[in-house]
Amino acid sequence: MSENKTAWERIQLVHNTGRPTINDYLPLIFTDYYEMHGDRLYGDDKAVIGAVGRLDGRPVTIIAQVKGRDINENKVCNFAMPHPEGYRKALRLARQAEKFHRPLICFIDTPGAFCGIAAEERGMGEAIAKNIAEFMTLRTPIISIVLGEAGSGGALGLGVCDELAMLENAQYSVLSPRGFASILWKDASREREASEIMRITAEDMVRLGVAETIIEEPLGGAHNDLDKISENIKEYLSQVIPEKCQKDIDVLLKERYTKFRKIGAFIE
Amino acid sequence: MFEDFFKVVTKRFNGGDDDYKPPMFKCPRCQGLSPLSRYEELHRVCPACNYHGRLSAQERISITIDKESFREFDSEMKSRNPIDFPEYEEKQEELRERTGLNDAVITGTATIKGSPCVIGVMDSRYMMASMGSVVGEKIARAFEYAAANKLPVIMFTASGGARMQEGIVSLMQMAKTAGAVKLHSDQGGLYITVLTDPTTGGVTASFASLGDIIIAEPKILIGFAGRRVIENTIKQRLPDDFQLAEFMYEKGFIDMIVERRKMRSVLSHLLKLHGYNKKGV
Ligand SMILES: [Zn+2]
């Protein structure tokens, strides 16, 4: 049963509850998984994990943005804000998934790509652009799931997919409500107001054609019952992955292109 | 002493007439002042430091392509208000009146010294050339047309980032445009990006960074994150040359920096090098 909450309440819920992270979900959804490291170009970005494992016995590739569960974990994973090498690691593993005919499952959970000197020097724009373009034609099924927050281009770098699912309280936005308020109204303190007009909830995403599915959370939110939310995510994946794997890949790619191609509102 | 110096300067600019002050251009890069007429004469290039200023899409098209060769696509396309953002329509009406544009990009076919191409030019006067539904759709159609007609694409990019008034729909235009670029590329089409001032945000993180050849104008701003956002994150001031074309060139993200006065001829040579010759030749 889904609950009625405002966007602002959902933001609070995602940020202030010790919400489960990919590290909580991995052992409950997948088996036999091995983490893979590095982009083979620069380094290993701890904000993005990549793994090969099994879903219901079927080999899959998993790419995820990692939030820390405490300040020490967050220092290591940079609060889930990837550098360019995180996106390049993702692309390397995505291509590997294509090579070995494994479906790709992406978990999105980031406030955004990191904004810093090194990130610019190493080509953040190019890294995200390339992932978007390459994922669009990757010849294997891609499912993306937003766990908590999906911020801007940093989310879209793992967000080109055949189907996008949102956890019930998750949000997807073009920038943070705080950034939105400060740019548009020159007043960051109006973030709550911004969050309500920006259309960032899971329901908004389905209505706007960005997401296809909402994964129900336990009463009060994902943190209240880790087993239950893991089961719900797994149930969704167990149904959607075989379905996409059965499809002719050229049909799947055409549908993937069309999914994004048709988003927009204009008159002629 | 400074007073004296100031007098000399004003005298020179004023040509001795104390009442007349010609309009001046203040360069955002070197902060230098020069007569606006001189800056305009150079097609908006700073005479002091060679910063390449912003052109309207119309001006850009007219200095780039062969006279009367432009056939515009989708000139009447206008944005709707996908997330019912307050006052979005009014703001656009006002801008349409002021700029004569319907949105922040003009696309079409043209020839450059005889070579046919699809050309797209963004115009920063329209909501800082932010990418909304119309920008995304027109660019995607331009690449699809080019793919279907075996034409090269030249995109003059400029953007302040996302069209916030369109929320998540704006973000999705990155996927729409990058997808269309990929489609054109996979069919062997040539895509030349010309980065102009400023190219930032979602445009940098989509079609602007996907050219087979990436050109930039001198001293222009190129980046993903905004300067102020980075300064707020790292709590320190950034060096002046950070994110300028020359910086990104040093870092390996740009093939060449080309001055405006040479752009048309460089583009023409590159098109011909890739086999896009005059029709019938
Ligand atoms: Zn200057």
Side-chain angles (χ1 to χ4, degrees):
Chain A
M1 196 191 74
S2 69
E3 296 173 83
N4 278 322
K5 290 198 194 69
T6 65
W8 183 250
E9 285 165 343
R10 293 184 200 277
I11 291 173
Q12 303 316 310
L13 193 151
V14 161
H15 282 94
N16 302 324
T17 56
R19 192 168 171 85
T21 71
I22 186 62
N23 281 316
D24 300 302
Y25 293 129
L26 268 178
L28 295 174
I29 298 173
F30 303 99
T31 55
D32 294 348
Y33 60 89
Y34 290 87
E35 276 191 44
M36 305 290 161
H37 294 274
D39 66 348
R40 304 292 191 270
L41 296 163
Y42 178 82
D44 185 44
D45 190 338
K46 301 285 190 293
V48 176
I49 63 168
V52 180
R54 288 180 192 274
L55 173 80
D56 302 322
R58 177 200 299 267
V60 294
T61 291
I62 304 143
I63 301 172
Q65 287 154 334
V66 196
K67 283 210 166 151
R69 289 165 291 195
D70 55 44
I71 187 68
N72 288 323
E73 280 190 15
N74 263 321
K75 269 185 191 155
V76 173
C77 68
N78 198 31
F79 296 85
M81 294 183 283
H83 279 73
E85 50 272 24
Y87 294 100
R88 293 180 182 131
K89 168 159 92 177
L91 182 56
R92 177 176 80 83
L93 294 172
R95 287 197 172 123
Q96 199 181 75
E98 179 183 54
K99 174 178 176 183
F100 295 107
H101 309 287
R102 290 190 291 259
L104 174 60
I105 301 167
C106 294
F107 292 95
I108 298 171
D109 201 3
T110 181
F114 188 66
C115 295
I117 295 177
E120 294 291 316
E121 286 179 343
R122 296 201 286 274
M124 185 61 94
E126 191 272 348
I128 292 174
K130 184 166 258 172
N131 278 22
I132 296 172
E134 295 295 322
F135 276 44
M136 196 64 83
T137 54
L138 198 77
R139 295 182 70 80
T140 197
I142 310 173
I143 301 298
S144 293
I145 300 177
V146 182
L147 294 177
E149 57 177 337
S152 196
L156 196 57
L158 299 184
V160 171
C161 55
D162 299 303
E163 208 173 296
L164 181 78
M166 306 271 300
L167 296 203
E168 186 185 329
N169 291 305
Q171 305 112 45
Y172 201 166
S173 64
V174 67
L175 80 171
S176 72
R178 200 175 172 76
F180 189 91
S182 86
I183 293 173
L184 217 63
W185 303 318
K186 314 276 175 243
D187 182 0
S189 69
R190 288 169 72 184
E191 57 180 323
R192 181 179 189 151
E193 188 184 339
S195 73
E196 301 302 341
I197 63 171
M198 285 175 72
R199 307 271 184 262
I200 59 174
T201 67
E203 282 179 20
D204 292 327
M205 291 312 116
V206 170
R207 187 148 23 90
L208 292 164
V210 174
E212 283 70 27
T213 303
I214 297 175
I215 297 174
E216 204 171 287
E217 294 186 25
L219 204 64
H223 60 289
N224 279 342
D225 192 341
L226 177 62
D227 286 332
K228 181 69 187 148
I229 184 65
S230 304
E231 197 184 300
N232 291 356
I233 295 171
K234 182 160 188 286
E235 196 182 313
Y236 165 68
L237 287 172
S238 300
Q239 172 252 315
V240 74
I241 291 283
E243 183 191 308
K244 299 294 177 194
C245 286
Q246 273 170 15
K247 268 208 168 149
D248 180 84
I249 188 67
D250 290 311
V251 174
L252 197 68
L253 289 181
K254 205 165 259 171
E255 288 173 356
R256 189 184 301 164
Y257 186 83
T258 308
K259 166 179 157 65
F260 293 94
R261 184 68 186 80
K262 68 180 190 215
I263 301 175
F266 52 87
I267 41 172
E268 302 184 67
Chain B
M1 196 189 102
F2 278 110
E3 239 168 281
D4 286 351
F5 178 70
F6 187 65
K7 263 184 207 151
V8 173
V9 173
T10 35
K11 222 176 189 173
R12 257 192 216 147
F13 285 152
N14 294 354
D17 182 349
D18 280 352
D19 291 337
Y20 178 67
K21 286 209 176 87
M24 303 296 282
F25 163 72
K26 188 181 180 204
C27 175
R29 290 294 174 270
C30 69
Q31 313 300 325
L33 283 174
S34 35
L36 189 62
S37 56
R38 180 74 188 124
Y39 173 68
E40 298 282 0
E41 232 169 69
L42 296 169
H43 293 294
R44 299 178 168 257
V45 173
C46 172
C49 78
N50 203 30
Y51 159 67
H52 278 45
R54 298 169 190 180
L55 292 178
S56 73
Q58 282 302 347
E59 288 171 290
R60 176 74 68 180
I61 289 167
S62 76
I63 66 168
T64 306
I65 67 163
D66 301 336
K67 269 202 177 70
E68 280 155 38
S69 69
F70 190 58
R71 192 168 67 71
E72 189 176 350
F73 296 151
D74 309 310
S75 63
E76 292 304 312
M77 194 188 293
K78 293 188 180 84
S79 185
R80 291 163 67 126
N81 191 353
I83 64 166
D84 301 318
F85 195 85
E87 289 160 46
Y88 184 38
E89 283 106 342
E90 291 84 338
K91 190 175 169 101
Q92 295 211 78
E93 266 321 309
E94 186 196 313
L95 269 168
R96 280 180 196 126
E97 214 139 281
R98 183 138 50 92
T99 62
L101 298 162
N102 278 329
D103 210 303
V105 71
I106 293 181
T107 54
T109 55
T111 60
I112 296 177
K113 297 195 180 186
S115 299
C117 63
V118 166
I119 186 170
V121 182
M122 300 182 80
D123 193 320
S124 62
R125 293 173 305 157
Y126 199 95
M127 299 185 83
M128 262 324 289
S130 52
M131 179 154 59
S133 295
V134 173
V135 171
E137 182 69 22
K138 283 173 82 165
I139 289 173
R141 285 189 190 179
F143 277 94
E144 287 169 348
Y145 179 91
N149 293 280
K150 309 240 173 294
L151 287 169
V153 179
I154 298 173
M155 279 295 315
F156 287 84
T157 65
S159 184
R163 180 78 53 91
M164 288 181 296
Q165 293 84 348
E166 295 192 27
I168 199 72
V169 173
S170 164
L171 190 75
M172 292 301 134
Q173 305 309 309
M174 291 167 65
K176 184 193 274 193
T177 54
V181 172
K182 187 68 172 23
L183 179 111
H184 176 254
S185 179
D186 286 352
Q187 294 182 23
L190 169 70
Y191 169 31
I192 301 175
T193 315
V194 184
L195 308 175
T196 75
D197 198 56
T199 297
T200 63
V203 166
T204 300
S206 61
F207 62 90
S209 294
L210 295 170
D212 296 296
I213 297 171
I214 300 183
I215 297 173
E217 290 193 311
K219 299 273 171 81
I220 62 133
L221 182 75
I222 304 159
F224 173 65
R227 204 182 160 88
R228 256 177 309 162
V229 178
I230 299 173
E231 287 182 335
N232 285 338
T233 310
I234 62 172
K235 313 272 182 244
Q236 66 190 61
R237 229 188 84 77
L238 291 163
D240 287 339
D241 67 346
F242 185 68
Q243 292 182 325
L244 292 195
E246 292 71 12
F247 174 93
M248 295 308 281
Y249 176 77
E250 279 304 313
K251 297 296 169 195
F253 292 97
I254 289 167
D255 290 295
M256 50 181 123
I257 295 176
V258 174
E259 294 191 11
R260 193 163 287 167
R261 62 194 170 85
K262 294 183 183 155
M263 191 67 76
R264 174 172 148 86
S265 122
V266 170
L267 290 174
S268 154
H269 283 141
L270 290 173
L271 291 176
K272 290 183 173 77
L273 265 172
H274 290 80
Y276 298 103
N277 295 309
K278 281 183 193 177
K279 273 179 197 154
V281 174

